[in-house]
Structures are given as C-alpha cells and as structure tokens.
Amino acid sequence: MCGIFGIYNVAEASKLTYLGLYALQHRGQESAGIASSDGTKIHSHVKMGLVSENFTPEVFHELPGRSAIGHCRYSTTGTSSIKNAQPLTVSYCRGQLAMAHNGNLVNADLLRSILEADGSIFSSTTDTEVIIHLLAQSKKNTFEEMLVDSLKRVKGAFSLVVLTEKELIGVVDPWNFRPLSLGKKDNGYVLASETCAFDIIDAEYIRAVEPGEMIIINENGLKSIKPFKPVKQKKCIFEFIYFSRPDSYIFGQSVQKARKALGAELAKESAVAADFVIPVPDSANSAATGYASESGTPYEIGIIRNHYIGRTFIEPSQSIRDFGAKIKYNPVKDILNNKDLLVIDDSIVRGTTSRKLVKMLRKAGANLVHWRISSPPITHPCFYGVDTPNRSELIAASHTIHEIEKYLKVESLCYLSIDGMVKAVGGKKEDYCLACFCGEYPVQFNTEPDKNGFER
Ligand code: AMP
Ligand code: SF4
C-alpha cells in the first residue's frame, strides 16, 4: 500500500508535493520521496522514514521546478529498504523519468525473469522497476506510446504517477483496484491517491481517474485516453473499510459516508444491548458513529490511541504484559468501569490486537464485552497491494467465528456480512474486489505469457 501524488505547472511544486504526502502519510510510513522537474532535468530526494523527517528546508533547494511527484511507501512486494523506495528516477534512451506506484502486479516475477534472461539488470526488487524496464525496451515512437506498451504487458494493480522533464502522467489499471483522483490548482493540475491531499494545498477536486484511464498533462493541457482493453472494474473495497482517510473521496465517493454506513449496517445485522458503543481508534471511529446512531446506543471514547509512536522505542528489560498494545492504546477506566460494552473495530487480521484490547478493557473494569467488526472475516491474503499476512496467519482462514469469539474471550463476536458491506458502500457487488473476504481473485497470477508478455 502506498500514497502517490503528482503536480504540474504550479509554483513550489516540491513543497506542495511534500504537503500532499504529509496528508497521505497514513498510506505508508516506511519511506518518502519526491522527484521534481525544472523543465530540463529531474531532481530527486528519497529516504527511508516519515515525510516530516525526510524533508528539511535545505532539501527543497535540490528540488526545483513547477512539476513534481511524490510517494510514501508501505512495502507489499520487495523488502523495506532504500533501494525499493520511490519515486524511482531513471535515465533512458529519451531522457529521464520518475515513477511512483501504488498497487501490486501479479505477473511481475514472471516478467522480471523474462527481462533478466534478455539481459536487464535490476537494482531493486519492486514491481515498479519491471514497468520501467519494459518501457525502456519498448520500440514505440513517443513516450506516451512506450508507457502504454509497457503497461499492456503487466497484470494487476497499478495506480501510477509518472514525471518526465516536460509532462506528468497519471494512470490507473483497467480493474481500478487503487484510487487516484484528479484536481486543479491555480493554472496547473494535481493527482493524488486520496483527496485529503488536495485539501491541504487548496486544490480543487475534479473527479476520480477512471478504470484504465491515462491522463497526460503537458504544455498542451490535459488529455485523457483509454488505451487498455476494458475489463470489469474491481475497486478495492478495503480502501473504504480501513485504508483511506475518512475525509477523503476515493473512486468518486466519500469514505466517511461509506464508513458510517458500514457501522449502521452492522447495527442492523447484529445490534445487542450495551451501555456504550466504543470504537477501536482511529480506524473504527466513523463506523462506531454509524452503529451508535442506528442502534440508539450512546457513543463513548473508551480507548485512547497514542499517535506519536516513533519507529524506535525502548522496551523495558523487565517483562510488561501486552507491552505492544500498551504503547498504542490505553483504556479510559472511569468510562469503562462496570459497563457493558459494544466495541467496534474495522477488521481482524491475526486477532492479536483484539485479544489484547479485550484483556485491557476487562482490567479497566468492563463488564460484558461484545465485539463487532465493520467488515466480513478476512480469510484470504491480498495480492493487489494491501499488506496482509499469509493465509496461515489470518485467524478467520482457519477458525470459525465461534472459535475466534472464544479466543478473544468476548461475550459475542459478529462480523458484517459481505452483502451488508456492499450495500453500505454502495454500487454493485461485481464492481468491487472482495477477494480477501471470499477468495475469488479477479486477476489470476502465474499465467504463462504469450510471446509479447501479456496482451490484454
Ligand atoms: P490484528 O491484531 O492482526 O488482528 O490486526 C487488526 C488491526 O489491524 C485492526 O484494528 C485493523 O485496524 C488493522 N489492520 C487491518 N488491515 C491492516 C493492514 N493491511 N495493515 C495494517 N493494519 C491493518
Ligand atoms: Fe482490496 Fe481485499 Fe481485493 Fe486486496 S483482496 S484489493 S485488500 S478487496
């Protein structure tokens, strides 16, 4: 999972990109980078760490120009190291380009082995570099055609922003797995994974980039093409459940509205008497408000989350029970003591967080603890860009809801149904990827390539 941002023809482009990335920080905290163009040359600064740590005032002197792209990374393929940090900036036969990618390709390994057999030398383990090698080898005439040519051979999730000396390109795969939106700023344009990145720089939201759409922005203005064979769109529904910020629009829809509706639908399916509805902050806050208003149960803040956890902390040498959870969460004892709770979380992955939280709430004096999840059980890993563990580590892959309920030590556990989730988010079931909840993967992997790689 990653956050991507691009801006064209706006003063202080790299500083605005920094602000955009700052708003997208929740999408990836491992590395952050910006590449800018001054019209003749691409400049770049990419480092491991948070956006706010990586960009000092001096750094912006090295990032001149009116166009820029940025990336914050949460590794899904490739290790977490500087060689995999983005944007990836390269020189090729026509000049320079920088690319920032959100998503995961399902045929990257296959294409990489074909390219390596042909003599390509890779410097990273990212899918993104596969696209760059394909592009560099393309025999087409223009940059735009070369990019299309390379993207026709890849399969899976890609939302990309690409910067050349003279243009900015945004493109979304035909399945539309990951969100990308288009906005306007002064006389220029912006692209971002989520619209919260537009708000911070006072850019105006125009629309979501469409499935399979490529937007080319240069001195001639903005051009939109749809170069790929259309397929049934498969938007990632998990973006609404957990990943995106509630104040964003993704795929043209409000995340907050969807998340509240998920909570309301959950209440319709599984309401139970309780003194308070308590969210696991922050990811379940919005769903809990929806649940509370639908069920009529008062909403309370019973767990506080520490937002200032750095990557390095000193663990006590003496053992403190549930230390990991304590760094992040603390219960509000006065609220919880002797109360029956309806706790809402957005999802259960391994089950470790929920189990620790239940223990914490009991210790704080909670009486009955009912656990509600504003999505269905996660039974399958994601191969399209969300970091999920192997199937063997997903608790719902091998345990019934009743077994999980016992493991968490709660009075009751209910998940939202798949139909309830789709109803809440809106639109047709077939428009969404639901693979992590049902195992029906919309794009298969390890297919044999034809002589050109993959043509769609
Ligand atoms: P776990 O302890 O493994 O069950 O983790 C569950 C928590 O992780 C939930 O509170 C979610 O908000 C959060 N979560 C869900 N999906 C992801 C993800 N892909 N990456 C990081 N955290 C996640
Ligand atoms: Fe999103 Fe789940 Fe599909 Fe991955 S498998 S794209 S997380 S809905």
Side-chain angles (χ1 to χ4, degrees), residues 74 238 242-243 280-281 283-284 328-329 345-355 357 378 386-389 393 395:
Y74 187 157
F238 206 66
Y242 169 75
F243 227 87
V280 175
S283 51
K328 200 165 168 186
Y329 301 112
D345 203 356
D346 63 279
S347 55
I348 295 179
V349 183
R350 295 178 178 86
T352 42
T353 311
S354 321
R355 189 176 151 101
L357 279 170
I378 299 178
V386 169
D387 184 33
T388 37
E393 292 175 59
I395 191 165

Side-chain angles (χ1 to χ4, degrees), residues 125-354:
T125 54
T126 59
D127 295 359
T128 321
E129 201 183 350
V130 171
I131 302 175
I132 287 180
H133 277 277
L134 290 172
L135 191 147
Q137 288 191 357
S138 170
K139 302 286 181 287
K140 299 285 180 188
N141 293 322
T142 65
F143 176 71
E144 187 184 311
E145 287 169 347
M146 289 168 85
L147 182 59
V148 169
D149 195 32
S150 62
L151 293 176
K152 278 189 174 170
R153 296 179 67 187
V154 303
K155 275 177 73 176
F158 57 85
S159 283
L160 298 175
V161 285
V162 188
L163 184 73
T164 68
E165 295 91 336
K166 305 277 184 206
E167 60 194 343
L168 170 68
I169 295 180
V171 55
V172 171
D173 66 72
W175 296 275
N176 203 14
F177 279 108
R178 303 271 147 243
L180 186 67
S181 291
L182 172 69
K184 189 137 191 39
K185 170 80 182 159
D186 306 333
N187 294 319
Y189 289 99
V190 275
L191 292 160
S193 299
E194 295 179 36
T195 60
C196 61
F198 296 165
D199 300 335
I200 193 170
I201 60 161
D202 279 335
E204 182 194 334
Y205 170 57
I206 301 176
R207 64 175 174 85
V209 179
E210 290 176 9
E213 184 180 15
M214 183 180 279
I215 289 182
I216 302 117
I217 307 164
N218 55 29
E219 60 186 5
N220 301 320
L222 183 148
K223 181 174 91 173
S224 158
I225 58 169
K226 292 243 174 118
F228 312 114
K229 204 169 108 194
V231 292
K232 195 95 207 62
Q233 71 164 326
K234 294 288 170 191
K235 298 174 279 190
C236 170
I237 204 156
F238 206 66
E239 289 275 354
F240 288 104
I241 292 159
Y242 169 75
F243 227 87
S244 296
R245 247 169 68 163
D247 52 336
S248 285
Y249 281 76
I250 54 164
F251 306 118
Q253 275 174 261
S254 153
V255 177
Q256 168 70 357
K257 217 169 140 192
R259 230 169 253 180
K260 274 190 86 167
L262 287 165
E265 220 33 63
L266 184 62
K268 282 184 206 157
E269 289 186 5
S270 62
V272 67
D275 292 310
F276 298 129
V277 175
I278 307 262
V280 175
D282 295 317
S283 51
N285 291 355
S286 309
T289 59
Y291 187 106
S293 41
E294 178 65 33
S295 64
T297 314
Y299 174 97
E300 258 297 356
I301 294 168
I303 304 169
I304 300 297
R305 179 175 163 189
N306 186 334
H307 293 104
Y308 307 101
I309 307 161
R311 271 179 311 281
T312 50
F313 53 81
I314 317 291
E315 276 204 50
S317 47
Q318 246 185 333
S319 115
I320 295 180
R321 276 199 308 146
D322 302 325
F323 182 65
K326 281 189 183 115
I327 301 169
K328 200 165 168 186
Y329 301 112
N330 200 29
V332 187
K333 298 187 189 68
D334 218 31
I335 295 290
L336 305 173
N337 192 28
N338 210 22
K339 291 290 188 291
D340 294 345
L341 307 179
L342 189 303
V343 182
I344 304 211
D345 203 356
D346 63 279
S347 55
I348 295 179
V349 183
R350 295 178 178 86
T352 42
T353 311
S354 321

